[in-house]
Amino acid sequence: MATERTLSIIKPDATNRNLTGKINAKFEDAGLRIIAQKRIHLTPAQAGQFYEVHKERPFYSELCEFMASAPVVVQVLEGENAIAKNREVMGATNPANADEGTIRKEFALSVGENSVHGSDAPETAAQEIAFFFSGLELVG
Ligand code: DAT
Ligand code: MG
């Protein structure tokens, strides 16, 4: 299995509750290395651009508004099979369906306010990393 990189976002519901350290510990305990990280406050337009793939879905405007409602922490995680491993650590989109011990089971408030984003495939990971970071900011 190859070393991969994936884009992670600690969402406003989690930064509001000061959970960044607890969430980062979950990544590190799973063997994922945080090789880039910054705290930013997205505009609704930037959130809309990031989530453009969902623009036809009924929750799109709610999602963009939520993502711009408070600061987020964007980060690049690196490790063996990092994309799938991060999705495992995150848990299911809806916390009601998330496994015990996952970030969303422990911390998410609802399907919308679900604490973390993680890329879902190598192509989207590459696009999403490039959306937020320059190559110089990735320190593996
Ligand atoms: P994931 O974040 O697990 O990759 P997704 O890509 O299907 O899930 O959706 C992106 C985000 O959109 C998700 O994290 C929260 C929001 N969302 C998804 N389904 C939703 C729903 N039924 N109601 C409200 N928000 C939803
Ligand atoms: Mg997704």
Side-chain angles (χ1 to χ4, degrees):
M1 223 157 275
T3 299
E4 288 178 336
R5 291 174 173 180
T6 191
L7 191 277
S8 167
I9 306 178
I10 302 179
K11 294 185 179 182
D13 68 283
T15 62
N16 278 338
R17 289 176 290 148
N18 215 18
L19 293 172
T20 299
K22 288 198 171 88
I23 290 173
N24 280 348
K26 294 273 196 194
F27 297 140
E28 293 183 339
D29 287 349
L32 293 165
R33 303 182 73 83
I34 301 163
I35 64 157
Q37 176 166 263
K38 58 191 172 189
R39 180 175 167 96
I40 59 176
H41 196 147
L42 293 168
T43 64
Q46 289 167 334
Q49 198 185 340
F50 179 76
Y51 275 119
E52 193 153 26
V53 65
H54 295 307
K55 70 172 183 291
E56 304 303 337
R57 297 176 81 178
F59 53 80
Y60 179 66
S61 59
E62 182 191 330
L63 173 63
C64 297
E65 208 174 295
F66 166 61
M67 291 299 288
S69 67
V72 296
V73 176
V74 294
Q75 47 195 190
V76 179
L77 309 179
E78 182 181 85
E80 288 295 304
N81 207 17
I83 298 166
K85 187 179 284 182
N86 181 40
R87 299 289 309 192
E88 269 177 43
V89 175
M90 290 164 62
T93 306
N94 186 339
N97 303 326
D99 290 339
E100 287 300 328
T102 62
I103 292 168
R104 283 168 165 170
K105 178 70 174 188
E106 283 189 28
F107 302 124
L109 299 176
S110 66
V111 64
E113 301 197 18
N114 62 2
S115 303
V116 280
H117 166 86
S119 307
D120 60 10
E123 302 71 33
T124 48
Q127 283 166 13
E128 291 178 359
I129 290 169
F131 187 88
F132 288 111
F133 293 97
S134 74
L136 282 175
E137 293 177 297
L138 309 176
V139 186

